[in-house]
Amino acid sequence: MLPPSRNKRMKELSRLINTPLSCTCGRVHEVPVRSLSLHADMDAVAEACLTYIQGRNLLVVSDLTTYELQARELIGRLEQKGFKAGSCLYTEAKVLPDERSLGQLLMSSAGKPDGMIAVGSGTITDLTRMAAARQGIPFLSVPTAPSMDGYASGVSSLLAGGRKTTYPGVTATAILGSLELIAAAPLKLLQAGFGDIIGKKISVCDWLLGHTLNGEYLCPYILGLVEQAADSVIARAEGIRSREPEAVQGLMEALLLSGMAIAMAGDSRPASGSEHLLAHYLEGAFLREDREPLSHGLAVAVGTVCAGMFYHTVLNSAEWVDKEQITAVREALGARQPVPWQIRSWLADIGLSASPADYGISRELLREALLVSHFTRPRYTIFSFAAKLGILEQAAERVLDKLYPL
Ligand SMILES: [Zn+2]
Ligand SMILES: [Zn+2]
């Protein structure tokens, strides 16, 4: 039996997936996920394949860890139910979401399967989503760790030519995980999920900035959902770190909610701002330099620290407070943008450092990310605003001086 507060959140999630919402923002929001459970065994996943996939030819995508955890058993269950279940098994220790891995996935079945099942977390889900979208087939997600918010979203974040790029994809028809296994994921994956979620405290500020200064569409309802998701997780950081089941469930639900917000808005705007621009830039740089990959969620945690300091510097430095539009921005944000000490204390609660140097990020690389990442994607953020005011470089140097004291 689930604790009452979490039951309420699951009900809210279930309501979002099954009812198109005519919103006060003027749009109808719909999440194309048909079924959602965090208490599903492999029989339930095989049943869902019978319900949601037309045809008998399936492909199960996993890595060595998730194959042993769930995919092997799932393949057996599917065959018992009369499916022909092929396997795309990544055997490398760290699977990259790149062209090579996508090619391997597409070459794993003789022809076009009727549907796919992604058994894994970020990389496996993003690769499967992309392959399913390009082949015009449905996919089901079996999440194995609360490490990122992409399970319910409709976009894939993949490496193309060594750069992290967001591609439109399809939303999973069903998301069927086992909370028991999800809560047993390595601590670094729980910390990564926490990092991805605290980034929303920045992304909603960037969305408001884009709305106020750049005339962009904004839905207050979706913005509120994302904010709530972030606040509920931040309040339970220590519980997540010590794997209290209710806290880990709350993290997973918040990640699902954030992904749904992306699906409802039609793109990643509500959940991805300047902190994600920095994160994607840093992740790509590590790979280009042939270094051990920087996990997405930890990169977002660092991005959140830096973007939070950047906001604080731009909006509070004495010589800039009179600049045109700074007052409008401060009014639009209200008390929303997190102050740097808060972000540091959230990270301390989950057991993460707030110093980029501790992640192997040099001052030079971070300077490049602060100055260049906003060119990588047409998205209005605090960096666009600073560039327009002509203070991007000065603000970046101030943030760097604080992050890398002599
Ligand atoms: Zn709306
Ligand atoms: Zn993310």
Side-chain angles (χ1 to χ4, degrees):
M1 184 70 183
L2 298 179
S5 58
R6 303 265 73 82
N7 243 335
K8 193 168 151 240
R9 173 67 59 77
M10 274 313 274
K11 272 189 194 148
E12 192 185 345
L13 290 171
S14 297
R15 186 177 54 78
L16 285 173
I17 64 172
N18 286 313
T19 326
L21 173 79
S22 280
C23 185
T24 50
C25 75
R27 292 191 183 179
V28 176
H29 301 307
E30 196 166 2
V31 181
V33 178
R34 297 277 68 93
S35 175
L36 176 67
S37 169
L38 293 180
H39 300 278
D41 59 14
M42 290 304 100
D43 270 329
V45 178
E47 276 299 322
C49 291
L50 281 172
T51 309
Y52 297 114
I53 295 175
Q54 310 287 322
R56 285 285 175 272
N57 196 8
L58 304 182
L59 184 68
V60 177
V61 187
S62 63
D63 61 23
L64 283 175
T65 307
T66 64
Y67 181 79
E68 290 305 330
L69 265 181
Q70 286 179 298
R72 183 207 296 268
E73 187 191 342
L74 175 61
I75 290 168
R77 292 282 191 281
L78 289 170
E79 284 178 347
Q80 282 167 7
K81 290 200 186 288
F83 287 105
K84 186 173 170 301
S87 170
C88 170
L89 172 59
Y90 293 103
T91 53
E92 50 271 62
K94 178 79 192 169
V95 185
L96 294 179
D98 62 2
E99 298 91 335
R100 187 180 163 281
S101 302
L102 185 63
Q104 183 181 338
L105 204 169
L106 292 169
M107 291 165 80
S108 293
S109 51
K112 185 172 99 169
D114 299 311
M116 294 185 186
I117 302 105
V119 183
S121 58
T123 299
I124 298 286
T125 310
D126 274 352
L127 286 166
T128 308
R129 184 196 320 285
M130 180 73 161
R134 292 296 162 105
Q135 296 183 95
I137 58 174
F139 89 100
L140 272 60
S141 159
V142 179
T144 54
S147 55
M148 53 100 219
D149 69 352
Y151 294 116
S153 97
V155 297
S156 275
S157 185
L158 298 172
L159 284 163
R163 288 180 197 284
K164 268 275 181 126
T165 311
T166 303
Y167 291 89
V170 286
T171 305
T173 307
I175 302 169
L176 302 168
S178 154
L179 191 63
E180 212 179 307
L181 290 177
I182 288 168
L187 178 62
K188 65 177 194 299
L189 295 182
L190 274 65
Q191 291 171 322
F194 183 85
D196 208 12
I197 279 290
I198 62 165
K200 314 310 169 201
K201 296 294 279 184
I202 299 291
S203 65
V204 294
C205 293
D206 284 321
W207 196 12
L208 277 163
L209 225 61
H211 176 65
T212 309
L213 301 175
N214 205 30
E216 276 179 51
Y217 158 79
L218 180 140
C219 170
Y221 174 69
I222 296 176
L223 187 140
L225 284 181
V226 174
E227 258 185 338
Q228 265 175 38
D231 288 338
S232 69
V233 165
I234 287 164
R236 311 181 75 102
E238 284 167 358
I240 294 165
R241 189 180 179 182
S242 58
R243 295 173 188 282
E244 282 170 24
E246 205 185 327
V248 177
Q249 181 170 347
L251 172 62
M252 191 63 197
E253 288 165 355
L255 290 165
L256 290 169
L257 191 59
S258 173
M260 287 182 191
I262 294 174
M264 287 163 76
D267 71 23
S268 63
R269 189 44 151 147
S272 170
S274 45
E275 81 298 333
H276 267 75
L277 289 177
L278 291 173
H280 287 161
Y281 194 90
L282 295 170
E283 288 170 67
F286 269 51
L287 291 169
R288 286 195 296 281
E289 292 167 10
D290 257 340
R291 299 172 63 183
E292 173 80 9
L294 185 59
S295 106
H296 172 69
L298 297 190
V300 176
V302 174
T304 304
V305 172
C306 302
M309 290 175 70
F310 200 89
Y311 258 100
H312 191 74
T313 303
V314 168
L315 299 185
N316 295 293
S317 293
E319 72 269 45
W320 299 331
V321 289
D322 296 331
K323 282 235 180 218
E324 192 188 356
Q325 290 181 321
I326 283 210
T327 312
V329 168
R330 292 169 72 104
E331 273 168 19
L333 297 179
R336 238 182 205 104
Q337 85 273 18
V339 292
W341 70 261
Q342 284 179 309
I343 300 174
R344 285 196 295 273
S345 90
W346 302 337
L347 291 179
D349 288 346
I350 199 76
L352 287 175
S353 165
S355 168
D358 290 339
Y359 298 80
I361 299 162
S362 67
R363 179 175 175 136
E364 291 64 38
L365 174 59
L366 187 58
R367 176 188 291 111
E368 197 179 297
L370 286 165
L371 298 181
V372 175
S373 65
H374 70 287
F375 291 120
T376 57
R377 171 165 211 192
R379 174 155 289 181
Y380 201 93
T381 65
I382 187 68
F383 299 141
S384 330
F385 180 56
K388 185 166 165 261
L389 294 183
I391 61 173
L392 178 67
E393 287 188 29
Q394 285 164 276
E397 285 306 326
R398 282 185 202 188
V399 168
L400 291 165
D401 285 345
K402 288 190 187 124
L403 285 169
Y404 298 87
L406 288 173

